[in-house]
Amino acid sequence: AQRVTQPEKLLSVFKGAPVELKCNYSYSGSPELFWYVQYSRQRLQLLLRHISRESIKGFTADLNKGETSFHLKKPFAQEEDSAMYYCALSGLQGAQKLVFGQGTRLTINP
Amino acid sequence: DTGVSQDPRHKITKRGQNVTFRCDPISEHNRLYWYRQTLGQGPEFLTYFQNEAQLEKSRLLSDRFSAERPKGSFSTLEIQRTEQGDSAMYLCASSFFRTRRIENEQFFGPGTRLTVL
């Protein structure tokens, strides 16, 4: 079964502190992993995907196949990072429908 | 605005009524997805189209739900005999899919919030 688990519904950190949003997945095969973000009153948008190995807005995420994890990290949080973050997976081929986790609301305190 | 658009943005209806939502994808995108999101949950896949063909439907999609994409452009999602449990945000997304291309960035619309009284 395809499943994405984000164990923290809420995460609150102070500005300048490191941030780590956890994501674990189960998938039989090689999935493609994503982080989507939804800022207040905006639509869901792609933040980053594992195949591109990019750093977007200071965020990085490494796919750990052994631990089936794809945690999102940022060394120094900024207030504008406050948002809802969703981890998602899809198959590399075929339908490519997204399976989302339940999301983590990140709040950066000044 | 060249992004994915959805209409209406909000819909309030009484239980038992039928509702229809529309999604206009990004013009060159050949794939169109519908998701449903309830409070406190991530989006859940409902169905998707490649051009005008509906290729997959989730088991979440009961017989009361029907989706179409008649000309491979816009899509409609109809819910017949609505129930209070249908209250949710209905999201549409589109992407450009090509065989052997492993990228799959789905662009989401703003959603239609349905409230069934």
Side-chain angles (χ1 to χ4, degrees):
Chain A
Q2 303 173 21
R3 180 172 291 181
V4 176
T5 302
Q6 294 179 250
E8 303 136 330
K9 275 198 150 181
L10 303 170
L11 184 62
S12 181
V13 302
F14 286 101
K15 178 182 172 181
V19 173
E20 182 178 41
L21 286 80
K22 290 184 168 47
C23 171
N24 288 88
Y25 67 90
S26 62
Y27 185 82
S28 54
S30 295
E32 186 175 358
L33 273 296
F34 305 84
W35 278 98
Y36 276 80
V37 62
Q38 188 166 28
Y39 301 104
S40 178
R41 298 184 183 179
Q42 294 187 26
R43 63 186 67 189
L44 201 57
Q45 59 185 281
L46 179 66
L47 179 62
L48 54 79
R49 75 194 86 178
H50 87 270
I51 59 170
S52 58
R53 296 180 173 272
E54 295 173 301
S55 173
I56 305 293
K57 299 184 178 183
F59 285 98
T60 58
D62 290 320
L63 179 61
N64 185 324
K65 292 185 179 181
E67 295 183 357
T68 59
S69 67
F70 188 57
H71 303 326
L72 183 69
K73 299 177 183 179
K74 184 170 183 176
F76 306 105
Q78 299 172 301
E79 288 186 64
E80 54 265 34
D81 295 330
S82 294
M84 196 74 189
Y85 291 80
Y86 295 96
C87 183
L89 67 77
S90 76
L92 285 177
Q93 298 176 352
Q96 298 186 326
K97 62 188 177 187
L98 292 169
V99 177
F100 286 88
Q102 68 176 12
T104 298
R105 181 169 296 282
L106 176 64
T107 302
I108 308 301
N109 300 306
Chain B
D1 186 1
T2 57
V4 178
S5 60
Q6 293 187 244
D7 183 68
R9 296 290 304 276
H10 303 273
K11 178 71 177 178
I12 300 174
T13 190
K14 292 182 179 179
R15 189 176 52 187
Q17 298 295 304
N18 299 342
V19 295
T20 300
F21 311 140
R22 176 179 170 125
C23 170
D24 286 90
I26 293 171
S27 59
E28 64 268 24
H29 284 182
N30 55 1
R31 284 202 168 178
L32 186 149
Y33 301 79
W34 285 100
Y35 295 86
R36 179 172 66 188
Q37 185 174 23
T38 53
L39 203 61
Q41 301 297 319
E44 294 176 300
F45 169 77
L46 293 179
T47 187
Y48 88 101
F49 295 82
Q50 179 157 315
N51 300 313
E52 65 277 6
Q54 187 174 19
L55 297 187
E56 186 174 346
K57 290 169 58 173
S58 165
R59 284 171 293 176
L60 293 175
L61 215 60
S62 78
D63 291 344
R64 299 184 295 106
F65 288 70
S66 62
E68 294 183 340
R69 195 182 183 199
K71 297 182 180 179
S73 57
F74 74 91
S75 174
T76 58
L77 177 68
E78 181 184 16
I79 309 175
Q80 296 182 328
R81 305 180 304 280
T82 53
E83 302 172 355
Q84 287 183 326
D86 297 331
S87 295
M89 177 74 87
Y90 289 83
L91 296 169
C92 176
S94 70
S95 70
F96 182 70
F97 175 78
R98 191 164 43 199
T99 306
R100 299 188 196 171
R101 176 182 172 179
I102 62 174
E103 292 183 359
N104 179 31
E105 180 174 358
Q106 294 186 21
F107 293 82
F108 282 81
T112 295
R113 182 167 296 283
L114 172 66
T115 302
V116 181
L117 302 176

